[in-house]
Amino acid sequence: MLSIGIVGLPNVGKSTLFNALIKQKAAAAANYPFCTIEPNVGIVEVPDERLNRLADVFHPKKIVPTVIEFVDIAGLVAGASKGEGLGNQFLSHIRNVDAILQVVRIFKDENVTHVDGSVDPQRDLEVINTELILADLQTLEKRMNSVEKAAKSGDKQLQAKLNLYQRLQKALDEGKLAHSIEISEEEKPYIKELCLLTSKPFLYALNIDEPVATAGGVRESRLLGVNPDQQIPFCAKLEEDLNDLSDADRTAYLSDLGVKETGLDRLITKGYEALNLITFLTAGEPEVRAWTVRKDARAPEAAGVIHSDFQEKFIKAEAISWHLLVENGGWSGAREKGLVRIEGKEYVVQDGDTMYFRHG
């Protein structure tokens, strides 16, 4: 299962966000630094309205969404790369996640202390990124020493690896994250073995005072120098409180705000996208289910997500976009109209495909 690590300075709302995500009070949330020591881990369902629409047609015994693991990691402070605060412990935990969700405090509350004495989102962002970059430079320098010596032999693979290391070092020295530099297909294994913190996908959760209901409010909360698509404004405390409401009351409250989905729903969906994942679906009377597969996966790989035998003995797949299946009342109606496609081993699965696999 792929995981997303929740990071940030102390007292920015990481644990409150984590509690809201998993819909329970699992993580301690208090007004003092390092409230979280050991990481809290929670499994979160990915919201997907397509499942409900398919369920209306098939009336399954159960509905099974896909999930992501979120990890609430101890707060980081300046000097963490040198062991300050819980630095070494923090860095060891973050190396194990697949993507990083950085919580940045926008809200102002005199009753909630800030580790640096004032609320400054841009400064906080730079503190976190600087510590991650410094940690990566330490990792890279250790590797470069051995590769430089070995590359003198003329080995082309080692020389290519050294070239990548030098480009990475230059980018990190300039304050850039490792994932910002272009990497060729041949270089991907080299960067993967480094396990650099800043080579992971990043998202930024902007913890604001109130839910953002207008485009103007969204713009006012933006971080400079960060792709707007990677930024998700939300109010951690309000999102946690919303979990105490019934579904009907929550829907009514959001409707009054003119908001169609919660900040958490946007955050979970964006996290799923950041991990380069898509969803394909299976639908029938036993169950309607969402399955996770990497983007650009071919049909046999998708079949293998369900069962390894399906991949090994794959023959073909029947595939149709979920909305066509719904619009035509299920498999029979879609087949009668010739809408169900027969796909072979080279077919690249699309997000929202509903599939039925045939195997030996």
Side-chain angles (χ1 to χ4, degrees), residues 2 32 39 53 80 87 96 106 111 119 124 140 154 163 174 189 210 213 220 261 267 272-273 276 283 285 298 304 316:
L2 295 175
Y32 55 85
R53 296 283 301 279
N96 296 325
I106 307 293
N111 296 316
V119 175
D124 294 354
L140 191 59
N163 178 266
E174 293 172 353
E210 297 293 336
E220 289 170 7
E261 60 179 350
L267 193 152
Y272 195 72
E273 293 172 359
N276 204 31
E285 188 274 332
R298 301 188 186 277
K316 62 182 179 181

Side-chain angles (χ1 to χ4, degrees), residues 149-196:
K149 294 176 183 177
K152 291 178 181 178
S153 66
D155 185 294
K156 291 184 178 180
Q157 189 177 51
L158 289 173
Q159 289 175 340
K161 186 179 288 190
L162 179 60
N163 178 266
L164 170 64
Y165 287 3
Q166 290 169 340
R167 281 162 41 220
L168 282 168
Q169 186 180 50
K170 182 176 184 294
L172 292 169
D173 281 337
E174 293 172 353
K176 298 175 183 176
L177 305 182
H179 66 233
S180 67
I181 76 166
E182 291 187 14
I183 303 292
S184 68
E185 283 298 319
E186 292 76 15
E187 291 173 327
K188 284 182 179 179
Y190 303 154
I191 197 167
K192 186 176 181 180
E193 69 185 21
L194 285 171
C195 296
L196 297 180

Side-chain angles (χ1 to χ4, degrees), residues 7 44 61 85 94-95 103 109 119 149 157 165 173 180-181 185 189 193 210 213 239 288 301 313 319 338 346:
V7 305
V44 177
K61 293 186 173 90
I94 199 173
R95 287 192 194 283
V103 180
D109 186 339
V119 175
K149 294 176 183 177
Q157 189 177 51
Y165 287 3
D173 281 337
S180 67
I181 76 166
E185 283 298 319
E193 69 185 21
E210 297 293 336
E239 297 280 354
V288 167
E301 184 178 338
K313 301 175 182 179
E346 297 304 310

Side-chain angles (χ1 to χ4, degrees), residues 84-345:
E84 292 294 326
L86 296 174
N88 294 331
Q89 195 168 343
F90 168 92
L91 295 171
S92 67
H93 292 148
I94 199 173
R95 287 192 194 283
N96 296 325
V97 301
D98 300 292
I100 295 172
L101 174 64
Q102 187 177 148
V103 180
V104 181
R105 178 174 171 177
I106 307 293
F107 73 90
K108 296 180 180 179
D109 186 339
E110 293 179 357
N111 296 316
V112 180
T113 60
H114 189 290
V115 69
D116 289 323
S118 63
V119 175
D120 185 336
Q122 210 65 39
R123 176 202 60 205
D124 294 354
L125 172 75
E126 291 171 4
V127 168
I128 298 290
N129 286 348
T130 296
E131 293 307 319
L132 298 180
I133 287 169
L134 288 172
D136 280 350
L137 278 169
Q138 291 176 12
T139 299
L140 191 59
E141 287 167 2
K142 290 177 183 177
R143 291 291 189 93
M144 282 187 72
N145 291 333
S146 60
V147 172
E148 277 180 329
K149 294 176 183 177
K152 291 178 181 178
S153 66
D155 185 294
K156 291 184 178 180
Q157 189 177 51
L158 289 173
Q159 289 175 340
K161 186 179 288 190
L162 179 60
N163 178 266
L164 170 64
Y165 287 3
Q166 290 169 340
R167 281 162 41 220
L168 282 168
Q169 186 180 50
K170 182 176 184 294
L172 292 169
D173 281 337
E174 293 172 353
K176 298 175 183 176
L177 305 182
H179 66 233
S180 67
I181 76 166
E182 291 187 14
I183 303 292
S184 68
E185 283 298 319
E186 292 76 15
E187 291 173 327
K188 284 182 179 179
Y190 303 154
I191 197 167
K192 186 176 181 180
E193 69 185 21
L194 285 171
C195 296
L196 297 180
L197 301 175
T198 66
S199 66
K200 302 174 187 289
F202 272 59
L203 287 173
Y204 301 87
L206 313 184
N207 194 1
I208 59 176
D209 290 285
E210 297 293 336
V212 179
T214 65
V218 172
R219 285 194 295 271
E220 289 170 7
S221 302
R222 292 301 188 197
L223 296 167
L224 300 177
V226 177
N227 185 340
D229 289 339
Q230 295 175 280
Q231 302 182 48
I232 307 101
F234 79 107
C235 178
K237 185 63 175 70
L238 180 63
E239 297 280 354
E240 189 178 33
D241 291 343
L242 282 173
N243 286 334
D244 295 330
L245 301 178
S246 67
D247 290 343
D249 288 344
R250 188 189 304 108
T251 300
Y253 183 82
L254 292 173
S255 179
D256 289 341
L257 291 174
V259 178
K260 293 183 179 180
E261 60 179 350
T262 67
L264 289 184
D265 286 347
R266 291 193 301 275
L267 193 152
I268 295 167
T269 303
K270 283 286 188 181
Y272 195 72
E273 293 172 359
L275 291 170
N276 204 31
L277 304 174
I278 62 169
T279 298
F280 73 91
L281 308 151
T282 54
E285 188 274 332
E287 70 176 22
V288 167
R289 183 164 186 157
W291 302 88
T292 298
V293 69
R294 65 176 181 83
K295 192 175 181 181
D296 299 327
R298 301 188 186 277
E301 184 178 338
V305 172
I306 299 175
H307 197 288
S308 59
D309 282 351
F310 290 8
Q311 181 170 3
E312 294 170 8
K313 301 175 182 179
F314 177 90
I315 297 174
K316 62 182 179 181
E318 294 183 69
I320 181 173
S321 180
W322 73 273
H323 67 87
L324 290 176
L325 192 60
V326 169
E327 290 167 6
N328 290 277
W331 289 105
S332 296
R335 288 189 181 107
E336 286 174 7
K337 293 185 179 180
L339 298 172
V340 179
R341 309 184 309 274
I342 303 300
E343 304 289 0
K345 292 182 177 180

